[in-house]
């Protein structure tokens, strides 16, 4: 795990929390239910360390909403939910219109939209912070094992990559669904992000 | 000519060819998207003015491309802003890709569903809105609309099927558990019936065997005949009850209906249970309204009804208890109330009192015999007479009250008759040739039924054994201490403490107090699982009732380590 200083970690959490608040508000409006995202817990890992870090939270199949972003800062952004969590979240968001134990096409679409809102909020916030224009791919939903997912993230990447892992939970209708936001970046992109976080933090405390 | 156009103009031949091919291809792609795509495709510039409106859009919205091109999308469709969907275009212009799911939005632009067969008036849509960028700048937006109406309908159908299936599954489960319950009741009933039929058979066969051997004194021979007669009669009653139930179930029960006076019928029933009432020292109080009036019914069956209720009351009322029979006229009905100060009925069992094959106590330790058919027969017969029967009890130990109402008519009377008495057993000595001698073997026989106890005593005494008898587990434990018997023969189903509990207690005793006494279990419950349970609980042998004298002697000899006489 890459050690962020306490100040860096706090600043990054605060920035992501702003994006989360926006996501919560958007989902609340969309569903007519109050949706909150728990204050994020942020950690940075090398991609090869991701497996042990995530395995205990997502033991079975993983539902991931994946968007590739490109530009001066490039990488992969994902929202990860375990399968049951994905089913539960869809059920909560659609007022139980999908009370089955599996994800049909409509349920997958809902998850894709939710992931899209969250990833856009976070990446948009990073883009503004870094003052760079980032372009996004169309979001895709995958259902696979954690190993398959991690293999697809590291495939074809020879240089060292890092992952900003943000742990949170969606709170709605007296229920809670745990999830992870994972942003995979190159060393250079991560360095640049941390520099900007430092600058933002300095500006805030001025 | 600008340098740029000149540059293009001066391109080498192959490149020029490729480039013009690519241009042609791009044009073809655009053409395909416009004319042939099975999705709605809309592009706008960065001010959201429509640039492309494909044929699919024309077909489904009814708006021709030339009506919309150049016009602002949000002005063309003001409901986009009303539904706050315009923000998605704002975000697209900021470079974000937006996904709009059918489940959360229904549709982006309202269009009629292609056909009404999916139960949707509006086409259900899944939408992607993407920025179109050039050189790091967003220059427009691209909207792609998929018609998912059919998919949504299919998913709903699947969902309904899944729900149906799970409903079906749970109702199937319910039916299965109901069938299992009925099956269990039937098993319990069979075990009970085997017990109830074997018990009298035991005495009948035993005494008959002794009569055949022929060394009974005249007095004991008379006792033997009485015992056989009494037990055969009780068996006949069981069989009659069973036949009644069978007739009722198959709808073959015929009533010999006449106008009859009810009071004499009640009196006849009372007379028939009087000996049993007297034997138990029960006080029987009757309040019979002579003006109760004639009813229309089958005299024999009506007497059977009253007799069943009375024998039930006698059975469940302890010595010194009280039974009251009251007959009175109530409007157009006659009411018969039989109340007792007996064991009462628990609240849980109350709803099942009139069920066939149901007894509150189906355990081995049950105190009261019978098949649990009497009250079921009462209900059926009362029903056939157009009446009702109900039961009331304040709970266990608080007595029970049965109330029957029967409709009144006519003015002629009729009577029936009754039976049933209990008598004490007797003693006798006999011997068996060819069987092992049990000389000097002290046997403790435990059974709550005097007839069986006496029979076994006679058989074993006949082979020279010394026999001590006990009628309960408690008495047996005392006898074990006092008489130090060599062998134990015990019944399993006894009131209070049963044979299993007795052997458990004995096996926990040290050897010098009889803890390892060889033991055989005697029972009318003769199923395989009963035998297994017997052997597991510390008995060496299982003797099914009715017991065969030779088998009994052989088992005792074997337990005592004796061989056959040569």
């Amino acid at each position: 795990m890459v050690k962020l200083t306490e100040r860096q970690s706090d600043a990054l959490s605060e920035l992501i929390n702003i994006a989360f608040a926006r996501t919560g508000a958007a989902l609340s409006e969309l569903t007519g239910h109050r949706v909150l995202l728990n204050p994020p817990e942020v950690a940075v890992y090398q991609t090869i360390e991701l497996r042990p870090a995530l395995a205990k939270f997502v033991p079975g199949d993983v539902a991931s909403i994946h968007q590739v972003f490109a530009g001066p800062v490039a990488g992969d952004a994902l929202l990860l939910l375990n399968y049951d969590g994905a089913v539960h979240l869809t059920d909560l968001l659609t007022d139980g219109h999908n009370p089955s134990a599996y994800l049909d096409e409509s349920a997958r679409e809902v998850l894709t939209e939710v992931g899209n809102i969250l990833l856009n909020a976070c990446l948009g916030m990073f883009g503004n912070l870094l003052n760079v224009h980032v372009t996004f791919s169309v979001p895709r939903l995958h259902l696979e094992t954690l190993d398959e997912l991690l293999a697809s993230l590291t495939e074809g990447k020879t240089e060292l990559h890092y992952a900003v892992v943000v742990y949170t939970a969606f709170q709605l209708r007296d229920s809670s669904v745990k999830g992870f936001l994972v942003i995979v970046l190159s060393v250079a992109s991560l360095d640049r992000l941390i520099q900007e976080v430092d600058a933002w933090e300095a500006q805030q405390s001025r | 000519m600008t340098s740029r156009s000149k540059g293009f103009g001066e391109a080498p031949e192959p490149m020029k060819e490729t480039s013009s091919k690519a241009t042609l291809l791009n044009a073809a792609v655009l053409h395909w998207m416009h004319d042939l795509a099975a999705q709605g495709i809309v592009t706008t510039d960065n001010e959201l003015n429509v640039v492309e409106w494909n044929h699919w859009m024309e077909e489904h919205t009814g708006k021709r491309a030339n009506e919309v091109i150049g016009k602002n999308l949000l002005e063309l469709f003001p409901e986009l802003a009303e539904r706050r969907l315009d923000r998605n275009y704002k975000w697209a212009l900021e470079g974000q890709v937006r996904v709009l799911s059918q489940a959360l939005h229904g549709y982006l632009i309202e269009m009629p569903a292609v056909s009404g067969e999916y139960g949707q008036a509006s086409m259900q849509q899944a939408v992607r809105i993407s920025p179109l960028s050039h050189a790091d700048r967003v220059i427009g937006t691209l909207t792609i609309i998929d018609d998912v109406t059919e998919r949504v309908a299919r998913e709903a159908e699947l969902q309904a099927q899944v729900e149906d299936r799970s409903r079906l599954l749970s109702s199937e489960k319910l039916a299965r558990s109901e069938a299992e319950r009925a099956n269990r009741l039937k098993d319990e009933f069979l075990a009970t019936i085997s017990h109830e039929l074997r018990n009298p058979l035991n005495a009948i066969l035993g005494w008959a065997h002794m009569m055949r051997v022929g060394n009974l004194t005249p007095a004991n021979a008379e006792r033997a005949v009485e015992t056989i007669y009494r037990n055969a009669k009780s068996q006949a009653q069981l069989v009659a009850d069973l036949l009644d139930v069978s007739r009722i179930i198959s709808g073959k029960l015929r009533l010999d209906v006449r106008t009859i006076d009810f009071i004499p019928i009640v009196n006849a029933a009372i007379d028939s249970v009087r000996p049993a009432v007297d034997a138990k020292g029960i006080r029987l109080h009757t309040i019979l309204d002579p003006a109760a009036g004639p009813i229309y019914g089958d005299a024999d069956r009506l007497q059977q009804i009253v007799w069943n209720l009375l024998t039930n009351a006698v059975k469940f009322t302890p010595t010194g208890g009280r039974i009251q029979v009251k007959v009175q006229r109530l409007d157009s009905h006659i009411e018969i109330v039989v109340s007792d100060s007996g064991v009462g009925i628990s609240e849980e069992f109350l709803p099942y009192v009139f069920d066939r094959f149901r007894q509150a106590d189906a355990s081995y330790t049950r105190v009261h015999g019978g098949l649990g058919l009497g009250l079921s027969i009462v209900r059926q017969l009362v029903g056939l007479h157009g009446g009702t029967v109900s039961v009331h009890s304040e709970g266990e130990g608080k007595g029970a009250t049965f109330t029957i109402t029967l409709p009144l008519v006519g003015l002629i009377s009729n009577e029936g008759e009754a039976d049933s008495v209990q008598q004490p057993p007797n003693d006798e000595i006999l011997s068996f040739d060819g069987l092992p001698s049990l000389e000097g073997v002290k046997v403790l026989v435990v059974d709550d039924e005097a007839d069986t106890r006496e029979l076994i005593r006679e058989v074993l005494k006949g082979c020279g054994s010394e026999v001590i008898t006990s009628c309960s587990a408690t008495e047996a434990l005392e006898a074990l201490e006092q008489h130090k018997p060599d062998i134990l023969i015990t019944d399993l189903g006894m009131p209070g403490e049963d044979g299993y509990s007795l052997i458990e207690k004995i096996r926990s005793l040290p050897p010098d107090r009889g803890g390892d006494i060889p033991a055989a279990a005697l029972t009318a419950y003769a199923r395989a699982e009963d035998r297994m349970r017997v052997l597991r609980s510390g008995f060496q042998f299982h003797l099914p009732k009715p017991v065969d004298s030779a088998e009994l002697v052989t088992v005792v000899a074997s337990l005592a380590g004796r061989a056959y006489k040569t």
Side-chain angles (χ1 to χ4, degrees):
Chain A
M1 197 165 97
V2 176
K3 206 73 187 132
L4 293 178
T5 67
E6 206 176 311
R7 294 173 78 124
Q8 285 168 343
S9 169
D10 284 353
L12 196 54
S13 298
E14 204 178 325
L15 281 165
I16 292 168
N17 204 26
I18 295 167
F20 277 11
R22 254 180 239 162
T23 306
L27 290 177
S28 302
E29 194 187 320
L30 207 55
T31 60
H33 298 289
R34 188 153 180 258
V35 183
L36 286 176
L37 276 95
N38 280 0
E41 289 169 32
V42 182
V44 177
Y45 297 92
Q46 277 191 34
T47 44
I48 49 166
E49 300 168 322
L50 269 178
R51 201 192 179 287
L54 295 178
K56 64 178 166 176
F57 293 102
V58 273
D61 272 8
V62 188
S64 66
I65 298 95
H66 185 182
Q67 274 186 283
V68 177
F69 56 99
V73 175
D76 297 89
L78 303 103
L79 169 65
L80 301 190
L81 299 160
N82 64 36
Y83 193 90
D84 292 343
V87 173
H88 191 200
L89 182 62
T90 318
D91 195 19
L92 292 171
L93 289 169
T94 57
D95 281 343
H97 288 315
N98 180 53
S100 52
Y102 66 94
L103 295 172
D104 60 19
E105 200 53 47
S106 291
R108 291 175 193 213
E109 225 175 54
V110 169
L111 284 176
T112 309
E113 179 167 356
V114 171
N116 182 227
I117 292 170
L118 181 75
L119 297 175
N120 278 336
C122 290
L123 294 175
M125 187 272 305
F126 284 150
N128 289 342
L129 180 73
L130 302 174
N131 198 23
V132 293
H133 179 81
V134 193
T135 59
F136 302 89
S137 73
V138 174
R140 296 287 305 273
L141 179 112
H142 299 277
L143 294 170
E144 57 202 337
T145 63
L146 184 63
D147 285 334
E148 285 163 348
L149 171 77
L150 294 175
S152 74
L153 283 181
T154 47
E155 199 185 313
K157 290 182 178 125
T158 45
E159 60 166 322
L160 200 56
H161 273 74
Y162 285 90
V164 179
V165 176
V166 182
Y167 166 73
T168 187
F170 293 84
Q171 304 283 354
L172 69 157
R173 300 166 71 193
D174 300 327
S175 284
S176 170
V177 178
K178 291 171 190 165
F180 287 92
L181 174 71
V182 177
I183 300 165
V184 179
L185 299 159
S186 66
V187 185
S189 293
L190 180 69
D191 279 349
R192 190 159 167 199
L193 179 66
I194 290 174
Q195 270 173 34
E196 292 301 333
V197 168
D198 279 338
W200 180 81
E201 196 270 334
Q203 204 180 7
Q204 299 298 306
S205 51
R206 229 186 280 144
Chain B
M1 190 182 265
T2 64
S3 63
R4 188 171 169 172
S5 63
K6 190 180 173 196
F8 268 110
E10 285 168 2
E13 271 315 300
M15 200 173 171
K16 205 157 115 191
E17 204 175 288
T18 313
S19 153
S20 68
K21 223 182 219 169
T23 311
L24 275 175
L25 275 172
N26 282 338
V29 168
L30 284 175
H31 189 256
W32 182 89
M33 281 169 58
H34 184 86
D35 288 347
L36 302 170
Q39 296 168 303
I41 297 174
V42 180
T43 58
T44 70
D45 62 18
N46 59 2
E47 286 171 345
L48 300 179
N49 296 317
V50 177
V51 175
E52 161 66 10
W53 187 261
N54 75 347
H55 179 68
W56 191 95
M57 289 300 289
E58 288 183 321
E59 197 183 330
H60 290 97
T61 61
K63 288 186 193 298
R64 311 294 305 169
N66 54 22
E67 295 172 50
V68 294
I69 284 172
K71 292 193 178 140
N72 185 278
L73 186 71
L74 301 182
E75 284 168 15
L76 279 166
F77 299 98
E79 65 268 24
L80 288 177
E82 283 157 23
R83 293 167 62 213
R84 312 249 296 153
L85 294 173
D86 55 336
R87 291 177 300 173
N88 293 291
Y89 284 98
K90 187 183 109 249
W91 287 320
L93 292 175
E94 284 170 10
Q96 293 184 11
V97 176
R98 306 302 296 198
V99 173
L100 304 185
S101 63
Q102 176 278 330
L104 293 178
H105 303 275
Y107 51 82
L108 177 74
I109 293 171
E110 188 161 16
M111 307 175 201
V114 172
S115 87
E117 65 180 305
Y118 304 118
Q120 296 278 1
S122 299
M123 178 199 289
Q124 299 300 296
Q125 302 168 1
V127 179
R128 302 279 184 280
I129 302 172
S130 303
L132 294 173
S133 303
H134 179 75
D136 267 4
R137 238 167 33 83
V138 178
I139 56 165
T141 69
L142 167 70
T143 305
I144 296 178
I145 301 173
D146 277 302
D147 177 359
V148 295
T149 316
E150 188 187 342
R151 185 197 81 198
V152 170
R154 208 174 46 235
E155 284 171 353
E157 222 165 74
L158 270 174
Q159 188 63 46
Q161 276 175 16
V162 168
E163 278 163 21
D164 274 358
R165 209 169 302 145
S166 76
R167 242 196 317 272
L168 208 67
L169 205 69
S170 62
S171 74
E172 224 168 67
K173 261 185 202 160
L174 196 75
R176 199 180 316 132
S177 82
E178 191 54 37
E180 278 164 6
R181 195 188 64 87
N183 205 33
R184 205 175 47 244
L185 274 182
K186 197 186 71 196
D187 282 352
E188 270 173 20
F189 172 71
L190 283 175
T192 308
I193 215 173
S194 127
H195 184 263
E196 293 295 325
L197 289 174
R198 274 161 188 265
N199 262 335
L201 204 57
N202 197 37
I204 294 168
L205 283 177
W207 285 105
H209 178 80
M210 285 190 279
M211 288 173 83
R212 271 180 77 199
V213 171
N215 46 2
L216 291 177
T217 64
N220 281 328
E222 199 181 315
R223 277 266 159 89
V225 171
E226 262 172 33
T227 311
I228 289 169
Y229 176 73
R230 184 160 34 81
N231 280 288
K233 238 189 139 191
S234 115
Q235 236 184 8
Q237 181 60 51
L238 290 177
V239 172
D241 277 359
L242 277 173
L243 287 175
D244 275 353
V245 169
S246 151
R247 278 191 210 110
I248 290 169
I249 291 173
S250 59
K252 285 180 186 153
L253 188 80
R254 293 244 165 76
L255 294 182
D256 181 11
V257 182
R258 293 162 208 199
T259 307
I260 43 171
D261 194 359
F262 193 58
I263 299 295
I265 290 176
V266 176
N267 275 325
I270 290 172
D271 285 349
S272 70
V273 297
R274 185 79 70 184
V277 168
D278 292 345
K280 281 183 93 174
I282 292 170
R283 275 179 301 136
L284 179 66
H285 184 52
T286 56
I287 307 167
L288 308 178
D289 177 1
I295 60 167
Y296 201 51
D298 180 321
D300 288 343
R301 293 305 184 182
L302 287 170
Q303 190 183 329
Q304 189 183 0
I305 292 170
V306 180
W307 185 80
N308 267 339
L309 288 185
L310 281 171
T311 47
N312 197 61
V314 173
K315 192 189 324 181
F316 291 103
T317 300
T319 306
R322 190 175 37 78
I323 295 174
Q324 189 190 67
V325 183
K326 190 172 161 189
V327 178
Q328 61 180 340
R329 184 178 176 155
L330 281 180
D331 301 328
S332 60
H333 286 80
I334 192 166
E335 186 184 71
I336 309 101
V337 182
V338 177
S339 46
D340 64 60
S341 62
V343 297
I345 302 161
S346 71
E347 202 182 323
E348 301 82 66
F349 189 67
L350 217 45
Y352 307 110
V353 164
F354 297 107
D355 281 9
R356 267 196 300 274
F357 310 145
R358 267 307 238 303
Q359 285 188 309
D361 182 5
S363 67
Y364 277 98
T365 56
R366 68 207 200 98
V367 179
H368 309 285
L371 295 177
L373 292 179
L375 291 177
S376 153
I377 293 171
V378 165
R379 183 175 61 176
Q380 303 287 345
L381 290 178
V382 169
L384 288 172
H385 281 88
T388 62
V389 59
S390 60
V391 61
H392 175 77
S393 175
E394 291 293 326
E396 281 181 69
K398 293 183 179 161
T401 300
F402 287 84
T403 305
I404 289 173
T405 61
L406 294 165
L408 278 168
V409 252
L411 254 169
I412 306 162
S413 79
N414 200 335
E415 274 184 46
E417 36 73 69
D419 53 2
S420 157
V421 193
Q422 290 281 319
Q423 272 171 13
N426 70 340
D427 278 29
E428 187 47 28
I429 293 168
L430 78 166
S431 71
F432 298 89
D433 286 328
L435 288 178
S437 163
L438 297 175
E439 209 67 59
V441 178
K442 212 191 271 181
V443 183
L444 172 57
V445 176
V446 189
D447 201 316
D448 61 311
E449 275 173 60
D451 285 350
T452 310
R453 220 159 49 222
E454 292 316 313
L455 174 67
I456 295 173
R457 192 225 291 268
E458 290 314 315
V459 170
L460 295 179
K461 269 168 82 178
C463 288
S465 159
E466 185 187 339
V467 180
I468 308 126
T469 58
S470 299
C471 65
S472 72
T474 321
E475 232 182 74
L477 285 167
E478 278 167 22
L480 187 73
E481 292 272 324
Q482 206 183 324
H483 300 285
K484 308 252 176 291
D486 305 302
I487 307 291
L488 169 75
I489 307 282
T490 178
D491 187 25
L492 285 177
M494 292 186 287
E497 206 168 354
D498 64 10
Y500 291 114
S501 163
L502 174 63
I503 196 70
E504 196 187 327
K505 283 193 176 159
I506 290 176
R507 292 293 177 237
S508 68
L509 292 173
D512 59 335
R513 290 178 57 203
D516 55 7
I517 183 170
L522 190 63
T523 177
Y525 292 99
R527 296 173 302 177
E529 56 263 50
D530 295 317
R531 278 202 303 283
M532 294 308 292
R533 189 174 164 206
V534 160
L535 298 177
R536 272 201 301 270
S537 34
F539 290 101
Q540 279 71 37
F541 277 100
H542 175 269
L543 280 168
K545 282 183 186 177
V547 71
D548 174 72
S549 302
E551 191 183 6
L552 172 69
V553 173
T554 310
V555 164
V556 171
S558 158
L559 285 173
R562 298 294 172 92
Y564 272 84
K565 280 185 211 166
T566 51

